[in-house]
Amino acid sequence: MNTTNPLKKSVTFFEALAIVVGMIIGSGIFLKPGIVLNNAGTPWMSILAWGIGGIITLASALSVAEIAAAIPKSGGLYTYLGELYGGVFGYLLGWVQAVISYPASVAALAIAFATYSGYFLPLNGWQQKLLAVSILAFILIMNVIATKFGGIIQTVATVGKLIPVVGIVGVGLFSNLAPGFGGIEASAAGAGFGVAVLGTLWAYDGWISVTNMAGEIKDPAKTLPKVISIGVIFVIAVYVLFNVAVFKALPYDQIISSPTPGADAAEALFGSGGGAFITAGIIVSVLGALNGYLMTAARVPQAMGENNQIPFSRVLRSVHPKFQTPANALIFQSVLAVIYIFSGTFNTLTDLLVFVLWIFFTMGVFGVFILRKRMPPEKGRYRVPLYPVTPIIGVAGGIYILASTIISDPLRSLVGIGITLAGLPVYYVLSRQKR
């Protein structure tokens, strides 16, 4: 492997946009409406919760986009935190993402793909794991051969996953059913609205990962702000319209009680084939998210390798001499994901680290204030609109998530912090070696 070849700038505007949309829209859009509705109390309050969650996400995205425009380097938030707060903060995020968070998420998505595939082809536990590893191997090979192939898969999967969403929205909005909007009184649990907003914020997660690939995006300083902004605004519209369609298709009680309200809405609108239609859409949706996560995940250990902040840095930072892709980093993430698939620990690990990741996300949004002091915006460079209101909204949303998580599950929050700090000895050993 060549350690000096730069990564090829092969990711186009539309492929980057597909990464943003494809990583946000996973299976949550089909499964979350009932949970959010139950907490919000009424359909209209539920829709408001999705809108507020989207505004917080958009404010965060617009803020980080200014940093991405000023520091258009691979590694995304890992790189930004290192530049703005110091190497140790960037390292701790990179440690969590490269060793645990990203590969565990890849493992969870691979298992989700196999689980939903069981709707059409019944599989036992071991068969599901083998199918999960097989689809992961296919995605890995495509991304090693060419980042372009990963981009094509992402674009096709994103378009494919939108077909069932567009179908439900298109038919549901113009249907005359409207059972979910009729005569519903507010829930007695008024405090549930905050929990509802929290639930939507998890569904909006994933937008920031496209910044990991800044070094491979054509004209990243201009492209990243556009794809992040357009992608998040598009997803907000999709989420709100999808929920309106579900509320028009299903009664209030059924939406709350059903674990799969999206599939139920499809069946109500399209008949018995609706469930299969939505399940196929979820499979395509999960495939796109899996490809997006693996594609962007590898760029973190690759960037850490360039800074000698991870064991075997020379291997992980190397670029394939023929394909000009971070092949070793892709393989590294995939091997960890396979271990998590067979150990069954992926859900536990991702749950433990949600709190920690939002600490870093909030620091990233706040980083725009630090950036403005150090690097005043140049003429023509992207600047976050309505500054400083926009980043304040993003930071407030992040603090809200952190406070809610500490209150609801303090032990899990502390364990997540402990896992993160466990990377410090490695950081100091590698720092001494560099000196």
Side-chain angles (χ1 to χ4, degrees):
M1 295 283 180
N2 191 329
T3 59
T4 59
N5 281 354
L7 292 169
K8 187 176 181 180
K9 289 185 177 294
S10 60
V11 179
T12 65
F13 174 88
F14 289 105
E15 289 167 349
L17 182 60
I19 291 173
V20 176
V21 175
M23 291 189 68
I24 298 176
I25 300 179
S27 59
I29 182 64
F30 303 104
L31 307 175
K32 279 281 188 181
I35 297 172
V36 175
L37 174 60
N38 187 41
N39 289 319
T42 72
W44 290 116
M45 291 300 289
S46 176
I47 292 170
L48 180 62
W50 284 100
I52 291 176
I55 289 171
I56 293 173
T57 302
L58 180 60
S60 302
L62 292 172
S63 302
V64 173
E66 179 170 332
I67 302 175
I71 313 173
K73 301 178 183 178
S74 289
L77 192 58
Y78 155 76
T79 301
Y80 308 154
L81 293 181
E83 297 255 356
L84 296 173
Y85 292 95
V88 67
F89 291 100
Y91 165 81
L92 286 175
L93 173 62
W95 156 264
V96 168
Q97 288 183 324
V99 179
I100 303 171
S101 177
Y102 271 131
S105 295
V106 168
L109 287 165
I111 285 292
F113 178 92
T115 301
Y116 285 115
S117 297
Y119 182 92
F120 301 101
L121 181 66
L123 302 169
N124 61 33
W126 273 101
Q127 289 171 334
Q128 284 186 349
K129 290 181 178 180
L130 290 175
L131 178 58
V133 172
S134 298
I135 192 62
L136 174 57
F138 169 74
I139 297 296
L140 168 63
I141 291 170
M142 290 298 100
N143 278 276
V144 167
I145 293 175
T147 299
K148 189 74 177 176
F149 288 161
I152 292 171
I153 292 172
Q154 193 65 30
T155 302
V156 172
T158 299
V159 173
K161 75 171 60 181
L162 291 176
I163 292 175
V165 175
V166 171
I168 291 177
V169 170
V171 177
L173 291 181
F174 296 101
S175 70
N176 295 319
L177 300 177
F181 284 107
I184 302 300
E185 296 183 0
S187 169
F193 182 75
V195 180
V197 173
L198 192 62
T200 68
L201 287 170
W202 305 142
Y204 282 110
D205 192 28
W207 56 270
I208 200 171
S209 295
V210 71
T211 60
N212 293 356
M213 303 187 66
E216 295 159 85
I217 294 175
K218 298 175 181 178
D219 196 4
K222 292 183 178 179
T223 300
L224 280 173
K226 290 181 181 178
V227 298
I228 291 173
S229 304
I230 295 171
V232 172
I233 291 171
F234 175 78
V235 171
I236 293 172
V238 168
Y239 280 6
V240 170
L241 292 175
F242 186 85
N243 276 272
V244 172
V246 170
F247 296 150
K248 293 194 70 176
L250 299 175
Y252 178 89
D253 293 339
Q254 184 178 352
I255 297 172
I256 290 178
S257 61
S258 173
T260 56
D264 291 350
E267 191 165 337
L269 295 169
F270 300 107
S272 58
F277 180 61
I278 283 297
T279 301
I282 292 176
I283 291 173
V284 174
S285 183
V286 170
L287 178 65
L290 171 61
N291 179 75
Y293 265 91
L294 181 60
M295 181 190 295
T296 56
R299 275 64 187 178
V300 175
Q302 198 269 341
M304 293 182 75
E306 291 180 347
N307 295 325
N308 293 311
Q309 284 193 333
I310 192 170
F312 309 105
S313 288
R314 180 174 296 180
V315 175
L316 291 175
R317 70 171 175 252
S318 65
V319 177
H320 196 284
K322 180 179 179 181
F323 302 132
Q324 291 185 289
T325 58
N328 287 342
L330 284 162
I331 294 169
F332 170 67
Q333 294 288 268
S334 298
V335 169
L336 287 177
V338 170
I339 293 172
Y340 294 145
I341 287 172
F342 283 105
S343 66
T345 58
F346 44 86
N347 282 328
T348 301
L349 290 170
T350 51
D351 288 347
L352 283 173
L353 293 174
V354 164
F355 173 78
V356 171
L357 290 174
W358 270 97
I359 294 176
F360 293 117
F361 291 162
T362 306
M363 289 177 66
V365 177
F366 186 80
V368 75
F369 295 107
I370 300 174
L371 179 73
R372 287 282 181 108
K373 288 186 176 181
R374 295 185 185 175
M375 300 172 59
E378 300 172 359
K379 185 177 181 180
R381 196 180 77 199
Y382 168 83
R383 289 181 286 183
V384 57
L386 301 178
Y387 180 91
V389 176
T390 300
I392 288 174
I393 293 173
V395 171
I399 292 173
Y400 170 73
I401 291 174
L402 295 173
S404 299
T405 306
I406 291 174
I407 292 170
S408 62
D409 201 339
L411 178 60
R412 181 173 291 180
S413 302
L414 289 173
V415 172
I417 291 174
I419 292 174
T420 304
L421 295 180
L424 282 177
V426 179
Y427 173 77
Y428 288 116
V429 168
L430 293 174
S431 296
R432 287 180 180 178
Q433 288 179 352
K434 283 198 293 184
R435 288 197 297 267

